[in-house]
């Protein structure tokens, strides 16, 4: 049960973690390079303009003054200005985020349906050929870097069979609107979504299989069988419901981390989301942008952790304090 | 001390020590464990895969048929398909792909092993300190541990690698050492959690309590009683972490954060993408490095899980 005390504890932990990330984000830029160089040395500006930027960002002042200013700016939603586009980092992030959430969201839904289903199929025929095939197949799939899976998909579906576009979120120069535009975007999203889905579902299948194998050993499953429930009913009402619990946790935790995985997939497909932004920031040494991207992905992980923690207490009444 | 507090095994260990057979006992037990891991199908496949790749890495300079840095003298040799001279074809500079692939094995294995070593050393130190000393040390390290556990691995390593990359020129392996450091430094949190739990249970066991009663200092107890007993667990965890380190390394190299002057599989995949290998049907260019990564990762995770199910008390009864 979620007591107020427990809720407060969880919120406090999340806030503490957020504070750590804020400090880390400040320190990492100063520990690993000259902040004056990294945070203001925009190569496309003149010498005088760069000096002005250094003064304006307060980088000539003491570390403590800089830290207080950084905290004030960040908490107020000001993450600095991108070197590349000269637009506020916050604005750039908010423009790119929906595109990423679209791909990540669809892939997560598909993987959380398919993965556990495959895991259940394997566990139900434990030790048989079907189990071996599905389980070992998932383990191999899990060992593949997701961006490489994407490269293979591009080679097969976009180049060899020419069925699908290789990159971007829509056909360049297309003036389609409404439904036609949505269909165009959907066609472009097929391969990135498939890549991310394949990367995730193998893990969920393996998790689900071992959760089901554990559940099948429980007394209540034996009882359910003994009182004459059909195998279908046992599976639905007793096995799946209990085995899903740990799998739901993994899926939830992954939601936060998927953003990191989207970096390579978006880079591969030139998908205009967070990952694409990260690649541009790395290549252009756009440090304010990198700082913002790291903060955003950390905040998402922290938020997902908190959500799972709170949700878990509701899903499993045994978890209490 | 009550004799009932010690188990048979501990009596035997004491006897062995008194008789001067301590080392043989430990070695015999290690041999039994290795045999058990290899009898596990996963362990055997994993060990075989790793043996092959370690051999390739060790002999790479002799094994590579050509100088992977030698560019083609004829334009016909650029992005060429497989031929008798180049089994996997050539890259956009006409350099032999098979030789690049073979040399890439070295950096993949090197980064995987050393990053896992760095993270295991930090994870063990933090886990032992938290578990053994308890109290405020445990609480402080626990908070730190939780923080590192939720850091998103790819974004944080991307950030750190691109920042540290500025100074990579002074380091021995260039940007490759940056990857080792970054993957090692941000990956210890899982290990220290497992080690902490094990140390807390070891601390209360009779043989540890006995040496405390007999007057052994903390440093000595940790060195002679705690560390040898957590090592199998650390090893199992480290082997699984190598798999993750290899995947992370290939991701970072693919994103252009690796050393452009060295050969790595992730770096090859990056060049394959940049030179349009998927469009021009240069299958060898992007299939071979990806298969290499997959097999190495598979080898380490299979072996790691086989060791884990033998040494992790929580898994021992299962499966």
């Amino acid at each position: 049960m979620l007591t107020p005390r427990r809720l407060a504890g969880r919120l406090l932990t999340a806030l503490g973690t957020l504070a750590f990330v804020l400090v880390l984000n400040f320190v990492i830029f100063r520990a690993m390079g000259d902040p004056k160089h990294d945070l203001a040395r925009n190569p496309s500006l003149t010498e005088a303009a760069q000096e002005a930027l250094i003064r304006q960002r307060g980088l000539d002042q003491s570390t403590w003054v800089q830290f207080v200013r950084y905290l004030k700016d960040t908490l107020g939603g000001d993450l600095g200005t991108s070197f590349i586009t000269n637009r506020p980092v916050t604005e750039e992030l908010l423009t790119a985020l929906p595109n990423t959430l679209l791909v990540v969201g669809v892939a997560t839904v598909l993987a959380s349906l398919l993965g556990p289903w495959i895991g259940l199929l394997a566990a139900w025929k434990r030790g048989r050929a079907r189990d071996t095939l599905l389980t070992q197949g998932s383990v191999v799939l899990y060992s593949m870097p997701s961006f490489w899976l994407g490269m293979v998909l591009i080679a097969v579906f976009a180049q060899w069979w020419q069925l699908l576009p290789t990159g971007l979120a829509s056909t360049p120069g297309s003036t389609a609107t409404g439904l036609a535009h949505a269909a165009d975007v959907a066609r472009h999203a097929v391969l990135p979504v498939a890549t991310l889905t394949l990367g995730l579902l193998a893990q969920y299948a393996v998790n689900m299989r071992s959760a089901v194998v554990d559940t099948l050993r429980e007394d209540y499953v034996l009882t359910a069988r003994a009182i004459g429930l059909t195998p279908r009913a046992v599976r639905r009402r007793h096995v799946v419901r209990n085995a899903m619990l740990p799998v739901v946790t993994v899926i939830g935790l992954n939601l936060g981390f998927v953003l990191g995985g989207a970096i390579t997939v978006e880079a591969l497909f030139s998908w205009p989301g967070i990952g694409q932004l990260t690649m541009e920031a790395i290549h252009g040494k756009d440090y304010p942008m990198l700082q913002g991207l790291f903060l955003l992905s950390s905040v998402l992980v922290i938020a997902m952790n908190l959500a799972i923690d709170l949700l878990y207490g509701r899903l499993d009444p045994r978890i209490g304090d | 001390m009550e004799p009932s507090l010690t188990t048979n095994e501990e009596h035997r260990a004491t006897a062995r020590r008194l008789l001067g057979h301590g080392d043989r006992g430990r070695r015999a037990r290690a041999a039994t464990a290795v045999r058990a891991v290899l009898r596990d199908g996963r362990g055997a496949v994993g060990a075989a895969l790793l043996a092959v790749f370690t051999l390739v890495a060790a002999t790479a300079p002799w094994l590579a048929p050509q100088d992977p840095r030698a560019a083609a003298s004829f334009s016909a040799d650029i992005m060429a398909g497989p031929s008798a001279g180049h089994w996997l074809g050539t890259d956009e500079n006409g350099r032999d792909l098979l030789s690049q692939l073979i040399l890439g094995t070295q950096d993949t294995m090197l980064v995987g092993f050393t990053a896992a070593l760095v993270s295991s050393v930090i994870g063990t130190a933090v886990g032992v300190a938290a578990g053994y000393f308890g109290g405020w040390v445990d609480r402080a390290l626990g908070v730190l541990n939780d923080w590192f556990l939720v850091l998103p691995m790819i974004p944080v390593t991307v950030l750190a690698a691109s920042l540290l990359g500025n100074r990579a020129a002074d380091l021995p392996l260039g940007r490759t050492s940056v990857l080792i450091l970054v993957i090692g430094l941000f990956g210890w949190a899982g290990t220290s959690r497992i080690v902490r739990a094990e140390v807390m249970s070891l601390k209360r066991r009779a043989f540890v309590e006995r040496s405390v009663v007999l007057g052994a200092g903390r440093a000595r107890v940790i060195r002679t009683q705690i560390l040898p007993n957590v090592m199998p667990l650390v090893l199992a965890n480290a082997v699984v972490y190598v798999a993750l380190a290899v995947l992370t390394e290939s991701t970072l190299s693919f994103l252009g954060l690796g050393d452009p002057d060295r050969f790595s599989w992730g770096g090859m995949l990056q060049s394959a993408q940049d030179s349009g290998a998927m469009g021009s049907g240069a299958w060898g260019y992007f299939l071979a490095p990806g298969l290499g990564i997959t097999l190495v990762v598979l080898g380490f995770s299979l072996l790691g899980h086989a060791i884990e199910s033998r040494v992790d008390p929580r898994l021992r009864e299962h499966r």
Side-chain angles (χ1 to χ4, degrees):
Chain A
M1 281 304 292
L2 196 64
T3 60
R5 194 189 151 85
R6 203 175 117 88
L7 179 69
R10 291 287 180 252
L11 285 174
L12 215 62
T13 311
L15 281 178
T17 316
L18 185 65
F20 170 70
V21 167
L22 282 172
V23 174
L24 183 73
N25 213 349
F26 179 82
V27 170
I28 211 167
F29 274 89
R30 281 152 182 88
M32 291 184 175
D34 178 7
K36 274 193 206 160
H37 182 279
D38 290 343
L39 294 173
R41 195 66 79 191
N42 184 346
S44 61
L45 293 179
T46 64
E47 196 79 11
Q50 287 181 24
E51 292 307 321
L53 196 60
I54 287 173
R55 263 198 310 282
Q56 188 216 323
R57 299 284 301 160
L59 293 169
D60 52 346
Q61 284 167 323
S62 80
T63 311
W64 282 111
V65 175
Q66 286 185 45
F67 182 65
V68 171
R69 182 183 176 135
Y70 156 83
L71 279 186
K72 238 168 80 183
D73 285 354
T74 308
L75 293 177
D78 176 8
L79 297 172
T81 309
S82 161
F83 287 169
I84 298 175
T85 58
N86 263 326
R87 286 175 55 200
V89 167
T90 316
E91 214 174 279
E92 295 274 1
L93 292 181
L94 291 179
T95 318
L97 194 59
N99 285 329
T100 299
L101 291 183
L102 170 70
V103 180
V104 167
V106 176
T108 301
V109 171
L110 285 177
S112 355
L113 293 174
L114 289 173
W117 180 63
I118 293 172
L120 179 69
L121 283 182
W124 211 254
K125 295 278 177 190
R126 195 165 165 235
R128 307 269 192 82
R130 183 168 91 187
D131 177 27
T132 314
L133 189 76
L134 290 176
T135 308
Q136 302 311 327
S138 302
V139 172
V140 173
L141 190 61
Y142 190 35
S143 303
M144 295 176 183
S146 60
F147 61 88
W148 181 62
L149 270 173
M151 294 174 91
V152 176
L153 291 182
I154 288 179
V156 173
F157 290 98
Q159 304 290 348
W160 195 6
W161 287 338
Q162 309 229 325
L163 282 175
L164 291 161
T166 49
L168 302 172
S170 56
T171 310
S174 148
T175 50
T177 49
L179 268 182
H181 178 69
D184 188 39
V185 172
R187 245 169 67 78
H188 282 79
V190 171
L191 286 183
V193 166
T195 308
L196 274 174
T197 308
L198 284 175
L200 288 171
L201 74 82
Q203 191 193 353
Y204 300 161
V206 173
N207 283 334
M208 182 69 175
R209 181 187 174 275
S210 60
V212 170
V213 167
D214 281 347
T215 311
L216 286 176
R217 273 201 210 95
E218 299 279 353
D219 289 338
Y220 54 77
V221 174
L222 190 69
T223 312
R225 276 190 183 142
I227 60 172
L229 289 183
T230 62
R232 197 185 150 82
V234 175
R235 188 155 52 187
R236 270 226 185 132
R237 261 185 261 162
H238 297 275
V239 178
V240 172
R241 197 169 276 190
N242 286 293
M244 273 311 279
L245 217 56
V247 180
V248 165
T249 316
V250 175
I251 293 172
L253 291 180
N254 255 352
L255 265 178
F257 289 106
V258 153
L259 214 53
I263 292 179
T264 50
V265 174
E266 287 186 10
L268 188 62
F269 291 98
S270 313
W271 187 262
I274 295 293
Q276 178 73 357
L277 223 49
T278 311
M279 288 310 295
E280 283 164 14
I282 294 172
H283 289 313
K285 296 201 185 305
D286 190 350
Y287 292 109
M289 183 63 91
L290 277 176
Q291 211 172 9
L293 284 161
F294 175 61
L295 186 66
L296 175 68
S297 44
S298 303
V299 166
L300 285 176
V301 175
I302 295 168
M304 283 320 297
N305 258 305
L306 184 65
I308 286 298
D309 252 5
L310 300 183
L311 194 71
Y312 211 78
R314 300 198 65 158
L315 286 177
D316 189 352
R318 283 172 300 183
I319 312 256
D321 30 3
Chain B
M1 175 151 302
E2 294 284 321
S4 60
L5 279 177
T6 54
T7 65
N8 267 339
E9 203 189 32
E10 285 156 16
H11 274 308
R12 257 182 272 131
T14 315
R16 270 200 301 271
R17 214 168 31 248
L18 290 173
L19 293 168
H21 292 318
D23 265 357
R24 226 184 97 206
R26 185 169 288 167
R27 219 172 291 159
R29 260 179 296 152
T32 316
V34 169
R35 268 198 299 276
V37 166
L38 290 181
R39 255 201 304 274
D40 186 329
R42 293 172 300 177
V45 174
L49 279 172
L50 297 182
V52 171
F53 281 106
T54 311
L55 199 68
V56 172
T59 57
W62 299 280
L63 210 59
Q66 279 146 49
D67 177 4
R69 289 184 173 81
S73 40
F74 300 105
S75 59
D77 283 345
I78 286 171
M79 291 290 275
S83 64
H86 305 284
W87 289 6
L88 281 179
T90 56
D91 73 359
E92 65 279 12
N93 296 313
R95 303 177 301 177
D96 184 43
L97 283 172
L98 180 63
S99 305
Q100 289 186 30
L101 187 76
I102 292 172
L103 277 177
T105 316
Q106 285 190 319
D107 271 29
T108 302
M109 300 297 263
L110 183 74
V111 174
F113 274 119
T114 42
L117 183 71
V118 171
S119 80
S120 301
V121 169
I122 302 176
T124 309
V126 173
V128 167
Y132 191 76
F133 295 114
W136 66 267
V137 177
D138 185 25
R139 278 196 298 277
L141 290 176
V143 170
L144 191 72
N145 205 339
D146 286 349
W147 286 342
F148 271 85
L149 220 47
V150 297
L151 284 183
M153 188 70 176
I154 295 295
V156 77
T157 46
V158 162
L159 180 66
S162 63
L163 286 174
L164 260 178
N166 297 341
R167 312 185 148 188
D170 317 333
L171 298 166
L173 296 171
R175 279 171 177 268
T176 302
S177 357
V178 171
L179 298 191
I180 293 172
L181 263 177
V182 164
I183 299 171
L185 284 178
F186 288 104
W188 54 268
T191 311
S192 74
R193 243 193 194 182
I194 297 170
V195 169
R196 173 181 173 272
E198 182 71 3
V199 170
M200 286 182 36
S201 109
L202 281 171
K203 201 167 66 166
R204 285 189 286 269
R205 301 261 272 281
F207 64 94
V208 174
E209 286 184 346
R210 188 171 50 216
S211 45
V212 173
V213 171
L214 288 176
R218 280 173 171 172
R220 190 181 162 82
V221 171
I222 288 176
R223 193 161 41 88
T224 62
Q225 314 283 350
I226 304 280
L227 277 182
N229 283 296
V230 291
M231 268 354 243
L233 211 55
V234 172
L235 178 76
N237 208 55
V239 174
V240 176
Y241 192 71
V242 178
L244 190 62
V246 168
L247 271 179
T248 312
E249 186 270 340
S250 69
T251 302
L252 295 180
S253 298
F254 175 71
L255 294 178
L257 291 162
D259 194 317
D261 295 328
R262 298 180 65 86
F263 294 101
S264 79
W265 293 340
M268 282 178 78
L269 289 173
Q270 186 209 8
S271 327
Q273 200 215 344
D274 287 350
S275 59
M278 285 100 77
S280 59
W283 293 87
Y285 201 169
F286 67 90
L287 280 186
L291 269 177
I293 298 169
T294 306
L295 291 177
V296 167
V297 172
L298 185 66
F300 279 108
S301 35
L302 286 177
L303 182 66
H305 289 130
I307 302 177
E308 220 169 42
S309 54
R310 161 116 192 132
V311 301
D312 191 334
R314 287 166 305 167
L315 296 174
R316 206 173 283 159
E317 289 96 50
H318 283 8
R319 287 154 225 240

